[in-house]
Amino acid sequence: MTKPFRDIAKLPSNLDHRFMSQALALGRRGLGRTWPNPAVGAVIVAEAPGGPIVVGRGWTQPGGRPHAETEALRRAGAAARGATLYVTLEPCSHHARTPPCADAVIAAGVARVVSALEDPNPAVAGQGHARLRQHDIVVDIGVSAEEARRAHAGHIRRICDGRPHVTLKLAVSADGKAGLGGRRPVAITGAAATAEVHRLRGASDAIMVGIGTALADDPLLTCRLPGMQTWSPVRVILDTALRLPATSRLAQTARQVPVWVMAAKGAARERERALVAHGVEVIRVAEMNGGLDLVAALQALGSRGVTRLMVEGGPILAAALVSSDLVDDAVLFRAPQMLGSSAIDALEGLSLAALTRSPRLISRGTEEFGPDVMETFERRQ
């Protein structure tokens, strides 16, 4: 029989961080697949004669249920009694489509809960932790909090601001260009960088491009890594006048992978009907300065449960997001080749420095993918 943590001293801090790191890694398995719920990870640890052992693991399942805690408790069974639960976000305390996770933790006899973050959701917001404490469960909050905030950035952004967390992805040549003159597309990065882009797509709830990119590239915007084809995000096109052809690859595959087209309220109804006939959903959004209101568009996505949005193009949309201070993360791929002065800039009407030297963003470092270099940025706290 395992020895409960209640009977021994609190685990050393380094062990708390070690087990929370495992929970965070488990939670990442659900990114892009659990929305509108957060992708939570949970680990249950009991004390055995040879030291602490993991007796249960769980992560939020596709569609958002079951939750991570109940999955971990199910796997742990009776071994959860007297054990410690490591969870990347506060256990829920309200009745929704499933009973509260806090109640399941209490019923399982868990002695201690180590929680990385309090959930900002007003339906929880500390109430889960309070309920656990009311049942004499030791609760420690804040272990690996910074990493957990990154992991749950989409959930936090949607709850606090009503919109998804926006990650802007750019691929640029050595001279800061994103396409050939005349807005002709060109392959800029190599196979390794392309594979990383597909991985990033798979970890996103939705992917967005402007209508210019949709018309120029006729893209699929799916995740095509082996074994991850079913992880493709919802494909979103900003298309003020509903110019997306019903013959496009996006429209033709809308019944396999959802396509949402965001259009102005006055866009032609016959064009909407042509797209809807292929399974496309058209979302009407208010206009601003001759285009769609970006804040309204993002809030419309948030109202549909989208928490993590990846934006892939093009230069007009990218520049508009940067100018509007709506970029939360950025992923910049730099290729070694030059495209020349006639090529188009990565940010329409802006220097690339508007992103790379923005006072709102900070670089988190670089990584090589073959001949290409990826630099990531995140919003300053």
Side-chain angles (χ1 to χ4, degrees):
M1 181 175 179
T2 59
K3 183 179 180 182
F5 281 146
R6 181 57 63 86
D7 294 343
I8 62 175
K10 179 182 173 182
L11 277 176
S13 177
N14 63 325
L15 286 181
D16 277 353
H17 284 284
R18 189 184 89 188
F19 289 122
M20 187 61 78
S21 292
Q22 292 184 26
L24 287 161
L26 289 169
R28 284 191 286 270
R29 296 183 180 189
L31 289 176
R33 309 186 76 194
T34 68
W35 61 284
N37 287 357
V40 177
V43 173
I44 299 175
V45 179
E47 179 69 11
I53 60 170
V54 175
V55 296
R57 297 177 176 87
W59 56 94
T60 310
Q61 297 299 293
R65 292 175 178 81
H67 290 183
E69 300 94 320
T70 54
E71 281 289 287
L73 290 169
R74 180 181 64 82
R75 291 181 168 92
R81 185 161 298 276
T84 292
L85 167 67
Y86 292 85
V87 63
T88 63
L89 191 67
E90 178 181 8
C92 64
S93 56
H94 62 295
H95 284 269
R97 289 169 55 191
T98 56
C101 288
D103 287 358
V105 173
I106 294 164
V110 169
R112 178 177 177 237
V113 171
V114 180
S115 174
L117 289 177
E118 182 178 294
D119 191 339
N121 185 345
V124 186
Q127 297 175 66
H129 292 148
R131 184 176 299 186
L132 296 173
R133 288 190 175 114
Q134 288 168 2
H135 287 79
D136 296 325
I137 295 174
V138 177
V139 178
D140 293 304
I141 306 168
V143 174
S144 302
E146 183 176 350
E147 188 176 353
R149 273 190 288 270
R150 291 192 182 103
H152 297 303
H155 172 68
I156 294 169
R157 182 68 65 188
R158 178 173 175 265
I159 292 296
C160 295
D161 295 341
R163 67 167 178 86
H165 184 87
V166 175
T167 297
L168 175 63
K169 171 260 170 181
L170 294 175
V172 302
S173 62
D175 49 351
K177 305 296 183 179
L180 299 176
R183 300 195 179 276
R184 291 172 294 149
V186 61
I188 294 176
T189 53
T194 298
E196 176 64 8
V197 170
H198 282 252
R199 188 196 66 78
L200 292 170
R201 288 179 181 177
S204 303
D205 303 343
I207 182 171
M208 176 186 282
V209 299
I211 185 59
T213 296
L215 293 175
D217 297 357
D218 193 21
L220 278 173
L221 301 178
T222 51
C223 177
R224 296 188 292 279
L225 292 176
M228 292 185 65
Q229 291 87 344
T230 60
W231 289 48
S232 293
V234 172
R235 300 168 293 174
V236 180
I237 297 86
L238 292 187
D239 184 7
T240 305
L242 282 177
R243 293 190 290 151
L244 184 71
T247 55
S248 66
R249 294 203 295 172
L250 286 165
Q252 291 294 311
T253 58
R255 298 195 190 280
Q256 288 74 54
V257 179
V259 174
W260 298 350
V261 174
M262 311 193 86
K265 294 180 179 179
R269 295 290 169 178
E270 61 271 20
R271 293 181 180 174
E272 176 178 350
R273 287 191 288 270
L275 292 171
V276 169
H278 290 283
V280 174
E281 180 178 351
V282 175
I283 302 168
R284 301 282 177 161
V285 179
E287 291 182 78
M288 178 178 286
N289 300 324
L292 296 181
D293 183 332
L294 286 178
V295 172
L298 293 178
Q299 289 178 338
L301 295 179
S303 71
R304 285 165 171 76
V306 175
T307 67
R308 297 169 63 91
L309 175 68
M310 181 176 173
V311 179
E312 284 206 33
I316 296 175
L317 174 56
L321 288 168
V322 171
S323 297
S324 301
D325 191 25
L326 291 172
V327 175
D328 300 307
D329 286 337
V331 181
L332 177 63
F333 289 92
R334 296 181 187 268
Q337 72 267 29
M338 307 276 283
L339 291 183
S341 59
S342 63
I344 60 173
D345 292 331
L347 299 174
E348 181 87 4
L350 296 176
S351 164
L352 189 58
L355 175 73
T356 60
R357 298 180 186 174
S358 168
R360 301 291 292 160
L361 300 171
I362 184 171
S363 175
R364 291 192 58 204
T366 61
E367 185 176 351
E368 293 183 359
F369 289 87
D372 308 312
V373 176
M374 179 184 76
E375 185 173 8
T376 55
F377 300 82
E378 68 178 7
R379 183 181 288 272
R380 291 180 185 272
Q381 297 298 322

